[in-house]
Amino acid sequence: MADNARAKRLADLIREVVAQKLQRGIKDPRLGSHVTITDTRVTGDLREATVFYTVYGDDEERKAAAAGLESAKGVLRSEVGRAAGVKFTPTLTFVMDALPDTARNIEDLLDKARQSDAKVREASAGATYAGGADPYRKPEDDETDDTAE
């Protein structure tokens, strides 16, 4: 079993090689300049690599890019094997990265929270405290209560 540093180095190399090959070496029109390799992870035994990617565009372009990556998988794997010089070239699996969708979802939730905060701020603009600004009893208040009795 390989150490984590070696798997990390191989993952970085795979990410760079696949990104460069997609940009310069693959002539598939489905894999235009709108495909971005975001991350790569390699298993501990260096046999399998998962390549995460994002596609700038709509659902049709995402499906086309996924099909293009699947068809170019062999070329990309042979290029990785040539660059890595390892005994066994890892198999490549391409996975659509969910990070942009998650970030968009978080931004939407934050916008809703900001709107809710603004509504609360507007509602409390002219409000006063129900029991006074400081609702806690102080020792000097107890002394005045004893003398009044």
Side-chain angles (χ1 to χ4, degrees), residues 52-109:
F52 295 93
Y53 68 95
T54 59
V55 178
Y56 182 74
D58 58 359
D59 287 336
E60 282 186 27
E61 290 175 343
R62 289 179 184 148
K63 289 178 184 175
L69 286 170
E70 284 299 316
S71 68
K73 188 184 287 189
V75 174
L76 293 171
R77 184 175 180 216
S78 64
E79 190 67 28
V80 166
R82 196 171 303 126
V86 291
K87 185 175 184 179
F88 180 81
T89 303
T91 59
L92 301 178
T93 305
F94 292 97
V95 176
M96 176 70 84
D97 198 354
L99 185 65
D101 295 332
T102 304
R104 191 175 312 113
N105 187 22
I106 290 173
E107 283 297 322
D108 292 342
L109 292 173

Side-chain angles (χ1 to χ4, degrees), residues 117-126:
D117 288 347
K119 287 179 185 177
V120 169
R121 205 172 298 117
E122 288 175 15
S124 66

Side-chain angles (χ1 to χ4, degrees), residues 15-148:
R15 187 182 72 239
E16 291 174 15
V17 168
V18 169
Q20 287 176 357
K21 191 68 176 173
L22 285 176
Q23 191 173 31
R24 296 190 194 125
I26 305 287
K27 302 296 184 204
D28 194 341
R30 300 174 291 185
L31 300 174
S33 61
H34 55 275
V35 175
T36 304
I37 304 300
T38 57
D39 193 19
T40 305
R41 296 193 183 138
V42 178
T43 58
D45 60 356
L46 306 179
R47 295 282 179 159
E48 297 176 13
T50 304
V51 180
F52 295 93
Y53 68 95
T54 59
V55 178
Y56 182 74
D58 58 359
D59 287 336
E60 282 186 27
E61 290 175 343
R62 289 179 184 148
K63 289 178 184 175
L69 286 170
E70 284 299 316
S71 68
K73 188 184 287 189
V75 174
L76 293 171
R77 184 175 180 216
S78 64
E79 190 67 28
V80 166
R82 196 171 303 126
V86 291
K87 185 175 184 179
F88 180 81
T89 303
T91 59
L92 301 178
T93 305
F94 292 97
V95 176
M96 176 70 84
D97 198 354
L99 185 65
D101 295 332
T102 304
R104 191 175 312 113
N105 187 22
I106 290 173
E107 283 297 322
D108 292 342
L109 292 173
L110 288 173
D111 286 339
K112 287 179 185 178
R114 285 186 200 107
Q115 291 172 359
S116 176
D117 288 347
K119 287 179 185 177
V120 169
R121 205 172 298 117
E122 288 175 15
S124 66
T128 59
Y129 294 105
D134 189 10
Y136 299 105
R137 298 179 80 183
K138 294 186 175 68
E140 55 271 356
D141 292 341
D142 290 338
E143 291 175 9
T144 57
D145 289 340
D146 291 339
T147 58

